Amino acid sequence: MAAVKKVLVIGGGFSGMSAAIKMRRNGIEVDLVEIDPEWCELGAGITINGASMRALETLGLYDLVVQQGCVTDGVGIHMAHGPLIAELPTPSPVGSSVGGSGGIFRPTLARIMSDATIAAGVNVRLGCTYTKIDLAEDSVSVTFTDETTQTYDLVVGADGVHSSIRKEFFPEVPAPEYIGQGVWRAIMPRPAEINRVTMWMGNHLKLGVNPVSDTHMYMFITEDRPTKEHIDKDTWPQVFADLMKNFPNPIVEALIPHAFEESANIDYRPLANLLVKAPWNKGRLVMIGDTVAATTPHLASGAGIGIESGIVLADELANNDDLNVAFDRFHERRWERCRIVVENSARLCNIEINGGDKIEHSTIMKESLIALSQPI
């Protein structure tokens, strides 16, 4: 018998949807509330490494990612002006034959997962969130913004890096800390020679591209910014184009004019990270995803570890009749993988900011991807 029968998931992002899909398929009744009435994931593209591919395969969504995204092989890392520094293999993760690397438009992946959430039988309520959570020994009472109240066996907090749930129930946890870098993202036409994730390492800058379809790729640039500052959105195309000019490579140079096209959909975000010490639950409330393990994008694994955590939580709830045992096993399986991603990503960021050893940078990436390829 499962440890719980009825669960509320707060937050309809990747980790929340993953938990909801897997719990529902495991026979658990699930409500999901998402404050965005459009349930619309913003952003350009997203890199999906092999471990994340395996997680999506577990949810039965890998074939859709192949059809609507782009699966590639290997990572090439270059100096800013072109010479190859390292090639990182991206073999299939342990226990799976999925591709080891790939990319997809972020809204496309969100749509794939939201369709699966509804198809699984999850009761989704949009434009709605909680106003009050009352924890009891054997239940949780939740009052919503529409003034209704429901009782659950468990509440899963998946409301993201700026989580209201974390602030209320884990007030001792500091806010996510700005890490000294910002990331720019844009959609670009895909040149014929770009057939895998490719990065160029500059002076306090890194530019990378990743195919997301037969015709397009997304480009990302990490830039050192000592302080977290506002950048006028009207200036984003020019700033992005100026950053591209730091990479004197014909492939990059030919793409600079596209930064000024509306279809580039340029986005800028200051980077922060957060790793909450386990346990991630208070009684019958547990947090997953960016709520407890928010990472910078240096290992392209933030969404992946959130999806994994949703799967593992759902399976431990289904496979144990004691909720505390389920929580213990969940934490045992998730802590180290999330720690690797958050801390190693922070180390990569530090190397980039301080002009550190580019070989060390490549080695950390390689060792991290090997570790993440192991079973969850």
Side-chain angles (χ1 to χ4, degrees):
M1 179 180 290
V4 295
K5 294 181 180 179
K6 186 176 181 181
V7 175
L8 171 68
V9 176
I10 300 175
F14 293 133
S15 58
M17 289 190 286
S18 171
I21 293 166
K22 200 65 166 67
M23 283 191 290
R24 191 69 197 94
R25 290 178 183 171
N26 287 346
I28 297 169
E29 185 179 349
V30 183
D31 289 352
L32 182 149
V33 291
E34 165 54 44
I35 195 169
D36 179 4
E38 302 299 325
W39 205 5
C40 179
E41 181 73 30
L42 301 176
I46 182 170
T47 298
I48 312 175
N49 63 25
S52 303
M53 295 279 198
R54 178 178 57 195
L56 290 165
E57 179 188 43
T58 299
L59 295 175
L61 305 179
Y62 176 67
D63 288 343
L64 289 173
V65 170
V66 173
Q67 293 166 16
Q68 299 181 40
C70 189
V71 177
T72 56
D73 183 42
V75 177
I77 302 177
H78 300 254
M79 297 291 285
H81 56 293
L84 184 69
I85 301 172
E87 289 188 280
L88 305 182
T90 54
S92 297
V94 175
S96 175
S97 60
V98 299
S101 181
I104 193 169
F105 289 116
R106 195 177 187 95
T108 300
L109 179 59
R111 185 171 61 252
I112 288 171
M113 293 192 68
S114 61
D115 288 347
T117 300
I118 293 170
V122 176
N123 177 35
V124 176
R125 298 166 66 188
L126 301 179
C128 179
T129 189
Y130 79 99
T131 57
K132 188 178 181 182
I133 298 174
D134 290 313
L135 296 173
E137 179 92 16
D138 59 354
S139 64
V140 188
S141 178
V142 182
T143 303
F144 298 98
T145 48
D146 62 3
E147 300 183 350
T148 61
T149 300
Q150 292 282 341
T151 299
Y152 299 91
D153 299 316
L154 175 69
V155 170
V156 178
D159 56 337
V161 64
H162 302 296
S163 168
S164 298
I165 292 173
R166 187 183 65 243
K167 291 176 185 176
E168 179 178 353
F169 290 92
F170 293 75
E172 71 280 7
V173 176
E177 184 178 355
Y178 177 63
I179 203 166
Q181 267 191 346
V183 63
W184 298 85
R185 296 182 174 95
I187 299 298
M188 291 279 175
R190 176 184 170 185
E193 56 266 50
I194 297 299
N195 56 12
R196 63 177 179 175
V197 177
T198 306
M199 291 185 281
W200 291 269
M201 308 293 291
N203 184 24
H204 300 284
L205 287 171
K206 177 180 70 179
L207 183 149
V209 294
N210 188 6
V212 293
S213 73
D214 291 340
T215 58
H216 286 82
M217 63 184 184
Y218 88 91
M219 179 179 289
F220 53 91
I221 302 174
T222 53
E223 177 195 17
D224 296 0
R225 285 186 176 265
T227 59
K228 185 178 177 181
E229 57 190 281
H230 172 75
I231 304 173
D232 186 348
K233 194 170 183 178
D234 290 341
T235 69
W236 286 5
Q238 186 63 59
V239 174
F240 194 88
D242 288 344
L243 290 172
M244 291 176 68
K245 292 174 185 176
N246 289 277
F247 298 87
N249 178 277
I251 295 174
V252 177
E253 291 176 333
L255 292 167
I256 291 173
H258 294 286
F260 298 96
E261 297 173 358
E262 186 176 350
S263 58
N265 195 28
I266 294 173
D267 177 65
Y268 172 76
R269 298 187 186 187
L271 296 178
N273 63 7
L274 173 75
L275 182 62
V276 179
K277 292 181 179 179
W280 293 334
N281 73 291
K282 289 273 180 79
R284 290 177 174 267
L285 180 147
V286 63
M287 302 185 299
I288 63 172
D290 286 350
T291 306
V292 288
T295 180
T296 60
H298 295 78
L299 286 172
S301 297
I305 57 173
I307 294 170
E308 285 183 353
S309 289
I311 291 169
V312 172
L313 177 63
D315 283 348
E316 293 301 341
L317 291 172
N319 295 334
N320 296 280
D321 57 10
D322 186 308
L323 184 58
N324 290 323
V325 172
F327 281 153
D328 287 344
R329 287 188 53 79
F330 167 71
H331 289 117
E332 287 171 8
R333 293 176 64 186
R334 295 313 302 156
W335 167 257
E336 182 60 15
R337 288 180 70 84
C338 292
R339 184 200 66 79
I340 285 173
V341 170
V342 176
E343 293 187 355
N344 286 9
S345 294
R347 176 58 186 151
L348 293 172
C349 179
N350 182 265
I351 291 172
E352 293 173 13
I353 289 174
N354 293 294
D357 188 341
K358 292 179 173 57
I359 299 301
E360 180 189 0
H361 188 285
S362 299
T363 300
I364 291 171
M365 285 192 66
K366 180 179 179 180
E367 292 177 349
S368 300
L369 293 174
I370 291 172
L372 292 173
S373 73
Q374 299 306 307
I376 65 173

